[in-house]
Amino acid sequence: MVVAQQYRQLVKDRECERGFASIKKTFPLSFEGEGDKGGEVDKQSHNRVRKMSNWQELEHKYFMNAVERIPVTLVRGQGARVWDEDGREYLDFVGGWAVNSLGHCHPVVAEAVAEQAHTLIQASNQFYTIPQVRLAELLVQNSRLDKVFFCNSGAEANEGAVKLARRYGKLRLNGAYEVITTINSFHGRTLAMVAATGQPKFQQPYAPLPAGFINVEYDNVDAIKSATTKQTCAVMLELIQGEGGVNLPDDNYLAAVRAWCDQMGILLILDEIQTGLGRTGTLFAYEQYGIEPDIMTLAKGLASGIPIGAILAKERVSVFTPGEHGSTFGGNPLACAAGYATLKFIIDNDIAGNAKKVGQYLVTRLEGLRQKFPFITDVRGRGLLVAMEFSTDIAQSVVMACLDRGLLVNRVKPNAVRFMPPLIISNDEVDEAIGILDRVLSSID
């Protein structure tokens, strides 16, 4: 509740509405009332826009058919809410796929981006830039790792982490190059990361896949031990499998994997793309399991919507030399300014603590629905990364019915929906979402 109040005060104090001026010019809608809730549409102007350009039809005409979209066109957001081109308001429990850590258009991030955009946007890594160094310093000071490299996405971060592990294997492990990952994991969309991702539905369209990745059962340290050979340089894991269905490991699993890596002299890479930056109730999820990674990857919530990724490593593992890795846009001043503003706000305002408290409340309310509806078979998660599973494949129907009632949720599996709201949400917003879900689930035959 305190975090939500702080956010609303920031919006009020810093006149965040001025940041929506260009959107309102493009989409002539009239948003009225406190918080812009329930505004009326200037129908005559809006109809002119629709006659000139139907955005979804234009998307079908010009965009590759690679994305399964929900039939709604979003034009602006504020906090945990978004509005479509018709002026309809939605409570957002998708959060840009766990990206909008501070919500939409948070004034701290918007101001940092605006200021940096008027100062220096891109310079390339041929030169030193201050926002990059400031963000790297903040990450190192608040983690158990020593060195940072910035890129543009989670897939790039994981790709770079595997490159670093292979380089380490070549230098320190007699050329070892294989990386053990787990079934139902998700590590990105590049060809190598598709091979690392232990899901056949992502792999089969692109076979044959690059060699060097061994997919084994998740939450089974014996499977990792059996797959380890002299060619193994690293184990790469998500602490909680997000895209796989919000799958949590047993309490002792990660400690056992860490011990095995130490025993064998191989590296442990933790993919915190979805779990990091406060999402699970601590700044990094590894803190909850009593272990430390050799390499960690971040992205999604690091800049609250601005594309960025990061590879962090222990000093002894940081074996890249100049020219062995790089990125044109990685670590650019604009993204790093957004990342620094986001991370500092998360740390200074205990946003991870809010995610823990409100996440516990969300799970409690979802468990209440589970007691009411027998077709809900499981509620699981940590912090504000939560899934609800059903006995049959009704997830898409639930998603669409929630959409009709003004709530955005994510179908993570045919029989499960996922909740990844901004970390600044309040118990009141959870109650609002639960009320919608209750009505939706009551309508399921």
Side-chain angles (χ1 to χ4, degrees):
M1 181 66 72
V2 172
V3 170
Q5 290 171 345
Q6 289 175 339
Y7 173 77
R8 286 192 289 268
Q9 188 63 43
L10 275 169
V11 172
K12 180 178 179 181
D13 290 348
R14 304 184 187 197
E15 299 179 335
C16 195
E17 279 300 316
R18 65 176 180 250
F20 304 136
S22 61
I23 291 291
K24 290 182 178 180
K25 288 179 182 177
T26 305
F27 300 91
L29 313 178
S30 175
F31 298 97
E32 298 177 350
E34 183 178 355
D36 288 328
K37 295 180 181 179
E40 296 295 324
V41 180
D42 179 342
K43 294 181 180 180
Q44 183 177 358
S45 298
H46 175 64
N47 287 338
R48 287 198 297 268
V49 173
R50 289 298 294 268
K51 289 177 182 177
M52 290 172 59
S53 176
N54 185 308
W55 300 111
Q56 293 175 29
E57 289 182 5
L58 286 172
E59 190 272 352
H60 296 331
K61 181 177 181 179
Y62 295 115
F63 202 83
M64 289 186 183
N65 186 27
V67 182
E68 184 178 357
R69 299 187 194 267
I70 296 296
V72 59
T73 302
L74 302 179
V75 299
R76 75 180 185 95
Q78 181 180 329
R81 299 179 188 276
V82 291
W83 287 262
D84 67 17
E85 59 183 329
D86 296 317
R88 187 178 180 197
E89 177 184 322
Y90 302 86
L91 182 58
D92 184 5
F93 269 50
V94 176
W97 290 334
V99 166
N100 299 315
S101 49
L102 299 184
H104 297 277
C105 300
H106 194 287
V108 166
V109 180
E111 289 183 4
V113 169
E115 181 179 352
Q116 191 61 48
H118 283 92
T119 305
L120 182 66
I121 295 176
Q122 163 71 351
S124 91
N125 286 309
Q126 183 178 344
F127 308 100
Y128 296 95
T129 54
I130 294 171
Q132 185 182 99
V133 177
R134 293 180 73 202
L135 179 55
E137 179 183 41
L138 192 62
L139 282 166
V140 168
Q141 289 176 342
N142 289 277
S143 70
R144 303 293 295 177
L145 296 114
D146 306 305
K147 298 290 185 180
V148 181
F149 183 89
F150 292 114
C151 51
N152 307 287
S153 69
E156 281 187 54
N158 284 334
E159 185 98 18
V162 168
K163 284 181 67 177
L164 183 60
R166 282 196 171 194
R167 188 67 181 130
Y168 182 90
K170 190 174 186 68
L171 294 172
R172 309 279 175 83
L173 299 175
N174 299 314
Y177 68 95
E178 289 184 344
V179 176
I180 299 172
T181 63
T182 59
I183 294 168
N184 286 325
S185 62
F186 184 86
H187 298 291
R189 300 276 188 173
T190 65
L191 195 58
M193 289 305 99
V194 167
T197 291
Q199 297 193 51
K201 68 179 181 180
F202 295 120
Q203 296 177 335
Q204 289 171 355
Y206 304 104
L209 297 171
F213 296 96
I214 311 297
N215 307 144
V216 303
E217 185 180 9
Y218 179 65
D219 201 20
N220 184 340
V221 70
D222 290 332
I224 290 175
K225 291 179 178 180
S226 297
T228 304
T229 71
K230 292 181 179 180
Q231 297 302 316
T232 305
C233 68
V235 175
M236 181 163 70
L237 300 173
E238 297 166 276
L239 292 100
I240 299 170
Q241 290 185 328
E243 296 297 320
V246 190
N247 304 315
L248 279 72
D250 289 340
D251 290 342
N252 297 324
Y253 172 64
L254 292 163
V257 174
R258 174 73 272 180
W260 175 250
C261 290
D262 290 341
Q263 180 181 335
M264 300 304 294
I266 59 179
L267 302 181
L268 176 59
I269 304 170
L270 294 183
D271 176 345
E272 291 238 29
I273 304 301
Q274 193 160 148
T275 57
L277 289 312
R279 171 66 52 184
T280 63
T282 50
L283 189 59
F284 305 111
Y286 74 77
E287 299 173 69
Q288 301 174 42
Y289 294 94
I291 63 169
E292 296 178 11
D294 299 304
I295 303 171
M296 176 174 69
T297 55
L298 302 172
K300 288 193 179 288
L302 180 54
S304 202
I306 303 299
I308 192 171
I311 309 162
L312 285 76
K314 295 282 192 180
E315 182 76 50
R316 68 179 182 84
V317 177
S318 183
V319 295
F320 283 148
T321 59
E324 291 183 347
H325 194 56
S327 173
T328 297
F329 296 106
N332 68 76
L334 188 71
C336 287
Y340 181 84
T342 299
L343 181 58
K344 193 169 191 314
F345 191 91
I346 287 172
I347 294 167
D348 291 349
N349 294 275
D350 191 23
I351 298 301
N354 188 70
K356 180 178 180 179
K357 292 174 186 176
V358 179
Q360 289 171 342
Y361 184 69
L362 172 61
V363 168
T364 298
R365 294 299 316 273
L366 291 172
E367 286 287 359
L369 294 180
R370 183 184 181 188
Q371 297 301 315
K372 182 176 181 179
F373 301 103
F375 55 84
I376 300 175
T377 59
D378 193 20
V379 172
R380 57 182 179 268
R382 189 157 292 181
L384 287 171
L385 179 59
V386 180
M388 171 181 279
E389 190 163 308
F390 308 109
S391 58
T392 58
D393 293 348
I394 61 171
Q396 185 64 14
S397 296
V398 171
V399 168
M400 297 307 296
C402 284
L403 178 72
D404 288 342
R405 291 165 174 81
L407 174 66
L408 306 183
V409 296
N410 170 246
R411 182 194 67 183
V412 69
K413 297 199 301 184
N415 67 331
V417 293
R418 178 173 46 168
F419 309 94
M420 306 166 284
L423 306 185
I424 52 128
I425 65 163
S426 66
N427 287 357
D428 288 344
E429 287 163 322
V430 169
D431 288 338
E432 183 180 346
I434 294 298
I436 294 171
L437 272 169
D438 193 350
R439 293 193 293 276
V440 165
L441 297 174
S442 295
S443 68
I444 299 292
D445 293 329

